[in-house]
Amino acid sequence: RLSNRSAGPFVPLECTGMPDTLFESELFGHVKGAFTGATHDKPGLVEAAAGGTLFLDEVGDIPLSEQVKLLRLLETRRFRRVGSTQWRDTDFRLVCATHRDLAGMVRCGEFREDLYFRLNVFEIEIPPLRERRDDIEPLIESMLARLAPGRKVTFSAAAMQQLLQYPFPGNVRELRNLVERALLLADDGLVQPEHFPEAVRHLKKEGRENLVAPDAGELVPLAHLERDYLRRAVATYSGDRKSLALALGISERALYRKLAELREDGEG
């Protein structure tokens, strides 16, 4: 709102699960006859964002083969529509978001190093929800205003306390899911702990305490504690491996490597 582009367009692109050819077409547009189904010229999002901001959500999911095209765009500020030989100039601000460890992906060869440094001009790290619990209540108020406008809904003190203790491995998206579920179940408009999923209702404080050695004077190898924690996380987490890796603060590749090590030890 404070930038000199505030009056310009804000154009988002979700990069997750996008095929290589579709990414290029969405970003740069295409001309008639460029591929089967291209019945007319279509401008891309780069053109749509001219004078404003292009937002690439989950930039870490851009296919490796397509990353060089994004790098070339950032370096030259020029592009060609798919199927065209005409170069076009553009002017936009790029903002990216990702839940992935891009530096780790660079080390693993999954993300281009030159693109990483080109993107990483000014980094803003958003802490997970479990590290900013003071945000939970205002986030709920904002969600209620959007999900149930005009409806009087309140969270009981017990329900709010339950949420403040929950680690939210799915971050804000998981909180939104909990709010939506509560809206469906709380017919009288008062949200209680019983309106939450079992994983939230039965959260036990001793879960974290069990991660340390029972005898405070007894030291154990850190690798043992990590294996114990990973076994418990895999056994109790209901999401997929991708979201589990996010909750644990590691890359998906690192998670699979650790799980393979557990299986080799006969523990997975």
Side-chain angles (χ1 to χ4, degrees):
R1 289 196 297 266
L2 299 177
S3 77
N4 57 7
R5 296 179 182 269
S6 59
F10 180 85
V11 181
L13 174 61
E14 171 60 58
C15 302
T16 301
M18 186 172 293
D20 296 11
T21 53
L22 182 58
F23 174 80
E24 186 176 5
S25 176
E26 284 290 308
L27 197 63
F28 303 131
H30 61 257
V31 297
K32 180 179 179 180
F35 49 82
T36 302
T39 58
H40 58 277
D41 289 359
K42 177 186 175 183
L45 298 184
V46 168
E47 291 179 72
T53 301
L54 175 65
F55 174 56
L56 299 182
D57 196 10
E58 298 299 352
V59 68
D61 290 345
I62 295 177
L64 191 61
S65 60
E66 298 300 298
Q67 292 174 16
V68 66
K69 298 170 185 176
L70 176 60
L71 176 63
R72 187 181 302 120
L73 170 70
L74 298 178
E75 293 289 351
T76 65
R77 292 288 171 168
R78 305 181 73 205
F79 69 96
R80 290 185 299 188
R81 291 181 179 179
V82 176
S84 173
T85 59
Q86 178 185 357
W87 286 97
R88 297 170 180 265
D89 296 324
T90 188
D91 172 36
F92 64 92
R93 172 179 54 184
L94 181 66
V95 178
C96 300
T98 182
H99 73 277
R100 293 176 175 268
D101 175 13
L102 292 187
M105 292 178 68
V106 169
R107 291 192 294 270
C108 296
E110 298 173 348
F111 199 87
R112 292 182 62 100
E113 184 178 36
D114 46 7
L115 178 58
Y116 169 71
F117 285 115
R118 187 64 182 82
L119 294 176
N120 196 25
V121 177
F122 188 84
E123 180 180 358
I124 301 174
E125 183 177 353
I126 302 178
L129 190 55
R130 62 181 176 273
E131 295 180 9
R132 47 189 177 103
R133 299 184 186 277
D134 290 345
D135 288 349
I136 292 178
E137 191 166 352
L139 280 171
I140 290 176
E141 293 176 358
S142 175
M143 291 172 182
L144 289 176
R146 294 197 304 269
L147 296 172
R151 179 180 171 187
K152 186 176 181 180
V153 179
T154 57
F155 280 63
S156 70
M160 190 61 68
Q161 185 62 31
Q162 197 78 45
L163 294 180
L164 291 174
Q165 294 176 355
Y166 184 62
F168 283 102
N171 286 311
V172 177
R173 288 189 180 95
E174 185 177 10
L175 176 61
R176 180 187 170 93
N177 290 343
L178 290 175
V179 172
E180 288 189 273
R181 173 192 171 98
L183 289 174
L184 294 173
L185 297 177
D187 295 332
D188 60 355
L190 180 62
V191 177
Q192 299 285 7
E194 57 263 28
H195 297 139
F196 298 145
E198 183 177 355
V200 180
R201 296 198 311 270
H202 295 165
L203 180 67
K204 296 181 179 180
K205 293 181 180 179
E206 57 266 25
R208 289 181 177 270
E209 296 171 359
N210 288 339
L211 295 179
V212 299
D215 184 352
E218 178 185 355
L219 295 179
V220 297
L222 290 175
H224 292 180
L225 293 179
E226 182 180 88
R227 287 199 297 269
D228 289 343
Y229 184 79
L230 186 58
R231 284 200 304 272
R232 180 176 293 110
V234 172
T236 59
Y237 190 69
S238 59
D240 58 19
R241 290 292 186 260
K242 182 177 180 180
S243 57
L244 175 58
L246 172 62
L248 294 175
I250 59 177
S251 68
E252 194 173 354
R253 184 186 182 98
L255 174 61
Y256 278 107
R257 185 180 68 250
K258 292 178 183 295
L259 292 177
E261 292 171 356
L262 281 182
R263 288 192 293 269
E264 290 174 1
D265 294 339
E267 301 180 12

